[in-house]
Amino acid sequence: MAQIIDGKLVSKKILENLSDEILFLAQKPCLAVIIVGNDSASKIYVNLKKKKALELGIESIVVEMPETVSQEELLEKIEQLNNDKKVNAILVQLPLPQHIDTKIILEKITPLKDVDCFHPYNTGHIAAGTKPYVYPCTPKGIIRLLEYYNIPVEGKHAVVIGRSNIVGRPLAQMLLNENATVTICHSRTKNLEEITKTADILISAVGQRNLIKANMVKDDVVVIDVGMNRTEDNKLCGDVDFYNVEKKASFITPVPGGVGPMTICSLMQNTFDLYKLQNKNQVT
Ligand code: NAP
């Protein structure tokens, strides 16, 4: 039976330390979140972020814009937040409506406030193996989980399924920077099972329930499940057939309670880190 990687516990510990550090600041870090339209899932995520920020003493500004907002208006709003000295971190909740070019919007956020690490300045640093201002929230959370459980990465074969800019691609590069041997799989990968069977660390970031079955993994694999899906009775589940894969793995993340809490934890940590970078002289 695998040891469960408890993202709730790890994130709680990290956030307790963070909250202590924030307590002594005269001026609080500030996270601005822009949400466009009425997508109910996006609203839930934004409310969770707002609630967590409040708990920690991080100020949050939620900018709500209508579905019909023009690209120009959105760019203007980001420019305003870029220039607002009080705002330390800017997050644009995705997805954006079809008429808006997400790439142009994300590149408008100044790299020093780019809390989810989408700007080419920051992604370029990750790709080059040098330091961005902050690392993207979900991959950062996964690396911290591996560190917390003393799971060695160097020299291991890490297989990352998914190549999105928010999870798979940066995570693969970060694991490479930690000296893993990395294979990236995606929807065009042939014989996925042949590749997953060779993984020492298997990370699935696809969004497909039961994609990873027990016959696709080797004994003692470390499994990180990023996927967020729903069962028939609307319960949250990941990409991995947890019940059967757990029997073969050495470590495994549950869904919920694995990667999810670490993502929001990294968002808070990143907001604080950007605050520190922007106030180098005031913060010891
Ligand atoms: P995404 O942008 O839709 O990317 C999904 C990736 O999976 C793509 O690279 C796609 O390949 C690949 N893929 C699709 N079907 C596949 C298959 N059958 N075999 C192998 N690869 C396949 O999604 P995302 O934003 O990265 O998110 C992935 C999942 O993680 C979602 O369930 C999302 O809700 C969840 N998520 C969770 C957290 C968290 O905090 N827990 C954070 C972010 C995302 P192509 O590139 O070829 O299309």
Side-chain angles (χ1 to χ4, degrees):
M1 275 304 219
Q3 179 171 352
I4 304 296
I5 296 181
D6 188 344
K8 263 188 175 167
L9 173 92
V10 181
S11 64
K12 190 165 171 272
K13 287 192 174 184
I14 294 170
L15 291 178
E16 274 167 7
N17 286 338
L18 189 62
S19 146
D20 288 348
E21 288 195 68
I22 292 170
L23 197 64
F24 295 104
L25 298 174
Q27 195 204 321
K28 302 300 177 199
C30 176
L31 167 68
V33 181
I34 301 178
I35 176 166
V36 177
N38 284 314
D39 182 66
S40 55
S42 292
K43 284 195 165 174
I44 292 171
Y45 294 140
V46 169
N47 280 333
L48 277 175
K49 289 164 188 172
K50 198 173 151 185
K51 190 167 159 250
K52 187 56 76 185
L54 192 73
E55 274 172 36
L56 294 168
I58 291 176
E59 198 176 323
S60 67
I61 298 172
V62 177
V63 181
E64 293 188 42
M65 303 189 99
E67 184 83 22
T68 51
V69 71
S70 71
Q71 184 157 303
E72 273 317 303
E73 286 169 310
L74 191 47
L75 288 170
E76 265 171 42
K77 177 46 80 181
I78 295 173
E79 181 66 14
Q80 244 180 51
L81 296 170
N82 279 343
N83 294 327
D84 186 338
K85 288 209 160 55
K86 203 181 92 176
V87 172
N88 305 112
I90 304 170
L91 183 146
V92 176
Q93 185 67 41
L94 299 179
L96 290 170
Q98 293 257 305
H99 66 278
I100 290 176
D101 186 331
T102 302
K103 182 173 171 287
I104 291 178
I105 296 302
L106 295 177
E107 288 183 11
K108 181 72 180 171
I109 299 172
T110 186
L112 196 51
K113 296 189 179 185
D114 177 27
V115 74
D116 214 3
C117 192
F118 278 119
H119 194 283
Y121 173 90
N122 288 318
T123 56
H125 271 294
I126 297 177
T130 48
K131 253 183 110 199
Y133 287 124
V134 288
Y135 288 91
C137 296
T138 303
K140 175 175 174 154
I142 292 169
I143 298 284
R144 291 191 88 162
L145 283 178
L146 295 172
E147 282 168 2
Y148 184 89
Y149 284 89
N150 291 317
I151 296 168
V153 171
E154 184 165 321
K156 300 293 177 188
H157 183 204
V159 173
V160 178
I161 316 177
R163 56 175 165 178
S164 70
N165 288 336
I166 193 162
V167 190
R169 197 177 291 263
L171 176 62
Q173 291 164 336
M174 288 160 71
L175 289 165
L176 180 66
N177 296 341
E178 300 284 329
N179 297 318
T181 303
V182 182
T183 303
I184 307 175
C185 303
H186 46 78
S187 67
R188 317 288 169 89
T189 298
K190 306 257 186 271
N191 304 323
L192 182 66
E193 182 183 327
E194 294 308 312
I195 301 168
T196 56
K197 270 183 189 160
T198 66
D200 300 310
I201 301 171
L202 178 63
I203 297 156
S204 185
V206 172
Q208 213 170 291
R209 189 182 163 204
N210 284 335
L211 176 73
I212 307 300
K213 301 186 182 65
N215 65 354
M216 295 172 71
V217 300
K218 69 177 182 186
D219 284 337
D220 294 330
V221 62
V222 174
V223 179
I224 307 288
D225 191 351
V226 187
M228 288 204 303
N229 312 296
R230 293 277 164 188
T231 61
E232 290 86 13
D233 50 352
N234 207 32
K235 290 207 176 90
L236 194 61
C237 68
D239 291 347
V240 177
D241 172 7
F242 183 89
Y243 180 78
N244 290 306
V245 173
E246 186 201 9
K247 293 174 188 158
K248 281 180 98 174
S250 55
F251 289 90
I252 190 166
T253 57
V255 178
V259 175
M262 294 303 292
T263 296
I264 196 151
C265 168
S266 301
L267 176 65
M268 299 300 132
Q269 180 75 58
N270 280 357
T271 301
F272 179 64
D273 290 349
L274 291 175
Y275 167 93
K276 280 199 296 189
L277 281 169
Q278 291 158 36
N279 295 276
K280 263 188 197 142
N281 300 331
Q282 284 99 309
V283 183
T284 50

